[in-house]
Amino acid sequence: ALLIAPITWPGGEVGAFVPALLFPVIPLAGLAWVSKGNAGCLFGKVGWREIKLMILFAILNIVITVIVGVLVQVTLGASSNPAIATASELSPQGLLVFLSKAAVQLVGEEVLTVIPMLALLHVLVARGGLSRNAGVCWAWLGTAILFALLHLSTYQWDFAQCILIIGTARLVLSMAYIKTKNLWVSAGAHILNDWILIMVNVIGSRLIQS
């Protein structure tokens, strides 16, 4: 609600970080409350191994989503992300602010996915009687669909595009968390993925304009 509410935050470019920062902070605070201060369990250490995994999952995600994206574009058509499209019109300083704010917001997107995934896993296994592996698979798939549907307004309510492209990307990024149990890894991969796509669009647009 804070991200989409028409609120003019004070502080100019700095104030624009407020809703992006609250996006991960509010659910983490809620998790800390119900787990008696154990929200930090979502995060692990960040060393060279974790950085390499961030890069690996980012590259894997780009390759897979580009392939799926091309197939969807050719068969069904697809809409562009207006936020990425407008990034090419920003000044260098504005682009730096945009990328920084995006990084904070993308951590929020990981929190928005991982907490429901763990909650759904608990319900399926502890109350639904599924095996842990089956529960992980269903929670992984279910939250990927949820994540995809949250992007409907961004992509002009194109249901197929969101489920097939965004949902596929979410599966890869969620796998980064499932494999490492470290939200920093999935968040880092998500940030690198989006930064690369944004910069490719910015550089391509400016080369065309020149």
Side-chain angles (χ1 to χ4, degrees), residues 88 199-210:
S88 61
M199 291 309 301
V200 167
N201 181 77
V202 169
I203 294 171
S205 297
R206 293 182 179 179
L207 286 176
I208 292 173
Q209 291 173 2
S210 62

Side-chain angles (χ1 to χ4, degrees), residues 26 58 101 188-189 195:
I26 290 175
K101 180 183 175 184
W195 277 3

Side-chain angles (χ1 to χ4, degrees), residues 61 64-65 68 140 144 148 161-173:
N61 194 39
I64 291 176
T65 52
V68 174
W140 178 52
Q161 177 180 354
C162 287
I163 293 295
L164 296 175
I165 300 177
I166 305 302
T168 299
R170 184 64 260 170
L171 288 173
V172 176
L173 294 171

